[in-house]
């Protein structure tokens, strides 16, 4: 009888463990309910919604370019060496720059609950552990059913004497991102779509910050994302870009076909409406934007601080009505 009772108890324990594992798996699956496989299928409703934006008045009453240039000069003067932390922390100005961004966001009106720090550890090409922290600032829109995600890297190092990618980030991306976020917040104008400002960390290492954000988006977040905008820092000596030139690239490569170009057309229309000349870049099917892998409309904005993309981006963020 005792042996039978022992067997029943053991069976109950095993059953409880199995259910705990299943429940844990369900929780994990729910938390990270991502689009697990690559897709070139963009939600047609979102494509139509982006196309409808072309009928809006795309001019904006903002000019954040001076603020962007101030941030840019500050980054080069005080935070030139701000690379994501490898092996040990506090080996450069990365942590200080992260705290500076957060303090500027709060000063502009972002509350503590509007700012999320998303930590992720990546392995670099040199097999080092990269300890990175994405800063995600949310500006709620009047229609929270749709979101625009704008991403720009804040890590990096700028040495004008070097050509290597890791040492050539002049801070344009972080400066523009910060100017957009603080400028729109201070304006008091409420965007229609909720805006997610993602200051990516690890961007100087194969865009690890934006890739992590895209990879961990839930299906619900993917479905409500109207478009993504990625702001890149591209000194002309690396990419062949002429000084003062702004290059926009977008669409998803489906084999040899370029599809889902609505966000790209919206970017070009926003630039034109605000007197900004842009050049369309050639889409490399081997280098798709990480958000494209999950079927999201996107546009890459490749510029230096003389590219005057600041007001074009403001138009894209605020004219989505």
């Amino acid at each position: 009888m005792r042996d039978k009772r022992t067997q029943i108890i053991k069976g109950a324990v095993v059953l409880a463990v199995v259910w705990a594992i299943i429940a844990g798996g369900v929780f994990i699956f729910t938390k990270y309910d991502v689009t697990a496989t690559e897709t070139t299928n963009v939600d047609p409703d979102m494509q139509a919604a982006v196309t409808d934006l072309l009928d809006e008045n795309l001019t904006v009453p903002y000019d954040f370019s001076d603020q962007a240039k101030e941030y840019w000069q500050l980054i080069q003067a005080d935070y030139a060496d701000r690379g994501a932390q490898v092996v040990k922390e506090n080996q450069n100005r990365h942590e200080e720059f992260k705290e500076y961004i957060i303090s500027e966001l709060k000063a502009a009106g972002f509350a503590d609950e509007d700012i999320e720090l998303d930590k992720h550890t990546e392995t670099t090409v040199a097999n080092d552990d990269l300890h990175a922290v994405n800063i995600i600032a949310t500006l709620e829109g009047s229609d929270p059913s749709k979101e625009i995600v704008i991403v720009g890297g804040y890590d990096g190092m700028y040495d004008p004497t070097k050509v290597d990618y890791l040492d050539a980030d002049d801070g344009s991306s972080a400066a523009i991102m910060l100017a957009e976020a603080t400028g729109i917040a201070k304006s008091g104008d409420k965007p229609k779509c909720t805006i997610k400002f993602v200051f990516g960390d690890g961007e100087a290492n194969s865009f690890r910050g934006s890739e992590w954000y895209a990879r961990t988006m839930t299906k619900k977040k993917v479905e409500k994302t109207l478009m993504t905008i990625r702001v890149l820092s591209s000194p002309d000596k690396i990419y062949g870009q002429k000084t003062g030139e702004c290059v926009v690239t977008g669409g998803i490569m489906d084999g040899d076909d370029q599809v889902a170009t609505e966000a790209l057309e919206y970017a070009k229309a926003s630039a034109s409406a605000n007197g900004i000349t842009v050049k369309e870049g050639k889409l490399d099917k081997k280098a798709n934007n990480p958000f494209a892998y999950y079927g999201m409309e996107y546009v890459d904005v490749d510029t230096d601080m003389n590219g005057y993309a600041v007001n074009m981006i403001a138009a894209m963020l605020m004219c989505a009505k």
Side-chain angles (χ1 to χ4, degrees):
M1 181 65 114
R2 181 176 296 176
D3 291 341
K4 187 174 182 179
R5 186 182 303 161
T6 301
Q7 289 177 351
I8 292 173
I9 293 173
K10 287 182 178 180
V13 170
V14 170
L15 186 61
V17 171
V18 169
W19 275 109
I21 293 172
I22 293 173
V26 170
F27 172 76
I28 293 172
F29 181 79
T30 302
K31 185 177 181 182
Y32 296 111
D33 183 16
V34 299
T35 322
T37 56
E38 296 178 12
T39 178
T40 56
N41 297 320
V42 178
D43 184 344
D45 290 337
M46 285 302 186
Q47 287 180 282
V50 177
T51 299
D52 288 344
L53 296 176
L54 298 175
D55 296 328
E56 299 287 343
N57 178 7
L58 300 179
T59 57
V60 289
Y62 315 112
D63 188 347
F64 303 140
S65 54
D66 287 343
Q67 181 61 71
K69 287 181 180 179
E70 286 183 20
Y71 282 135
W72 178 61
Q73 291 167 349
L74 176 72
I75 291 170
Q76 294 195 9
D78 296 346
Y79 303 105
D81 185 3
R82 59 191 186 285
Q85 302 296 293
V86 177
V87 184
K88 61 181 180 180
E89 296 184 354
N90 299 322
Q91 59 188 0
N92 55 21
R93 301 302 306 282
H94 177 275
E95 187 68 18
E96 289 88 342
F97 188 47
K98 182 188 78 175
E99 293 303 322
Y100 175 76
I101 291 173
I102 295 171
S103 67
E104 286 295 291
L105 292 171
K106 289 183 177 180
F110 285 89
D112 288 343
E113 57 269 24
D114 299 327
I115 302 173
E116 176 189 353
L117 300 183
D118 186 15
K119 297 181 179 180
H120 54 106
T121 300
E122 309 284 349
T123 302
T124 68
V125 291
N127 291 321
D128 292 321
D129 285 336
L130 180 75
H131 304 290
V133 183
N134 285 354
I135 305 169
I136 305 168
T138 301
L139 189 60
E140 187 174 349
S142 57
D143 179 10
S145 68
K146 291 185 177 65
E147 293 184 352
I148 295 178
V149 177
I150 176 168
V151 185
Y154 74 91
D155 65 309
M157 180 176 178
Y158 182 60
D159 184 344
T161 66
K162 295 184 178 180
V163 181
D164 181 79
Y165 177 77
L166 295 178
D167 297 319
D169 188 327
D170 70 349
S172 299
S173 175
I176 292 172
M177 283 282 295
L178 200 49
E180 298 288 355
T182 59
I184 292 174
K186 288 177 180 178
S187 75
D189 293 339
K190 195 177 187 71
K192 183 169 184 180
C193 296
T194 292
I195 304 173
K196 294 281 188 180
F197 295 94
V198 181
F199 294 83
D201 197 6
E203 288 294 278
N205 289 270
S206 302
F207 304 108
R208 299 298 176 87
S210 53
E211 196 277 335
W212 168 260
Y213 185 86
R215 192 172 75 232
T216 57
M217 289 177 73
T218 64
K219 284 184 178 180
K220 184 176 181 180
K221 285 185 177 181
V222 170
E223 289 168 356
K224 70 192 301 187
T225 300
L226 183 65
M227 75 181 82
T228 64
I229 305 167
R230 188 169 62 167
V231 186
L232 305 175
S233 299
S234 298
D236 54 7
K237 59 188 176 183
I238 297 180
Y239 296 95
Q241 192 179 0
K242 295 180 181 178
T243 300
E245 195 171 60
C246 176
V247 178
V248 292
T249 310
I252 299 174
M253 291 305 295
D254 184 5
D256 292 328
D257 298 324
Q258 186 177 3
V259 300
T261 58
E262 288 79 11
L264 173 62
E265 295 304 318
Y266 178 51
K268 292 192 292 186
S270 298
S272 178
N274 291 278
I276 301 164
T277 301
V278 296
K279 175 182 176 182
E280 183 176 344
K282 184 179 179 181
L283 191 64
D284 183 353
K285 62 182 178 182
K286 295 181 179 179
N288 264 337
N289 177 297
F291 295 95
Y293 292 128
Y294 299 95
M296 283 177 276
E297 285 270 3
Y298 85 92
V299 62
D300 278 349
V301 180
D302 225 342
T303 186
D304 58 21
M305 284 310 298
N306 296 310
Y308 305 107
V310 180
N311 296 333
M312 177 194 76
I313 295 171
M316 295 182 69
L317 294 174
M318 295 301 289
C319 290
K321 297 181 180 179

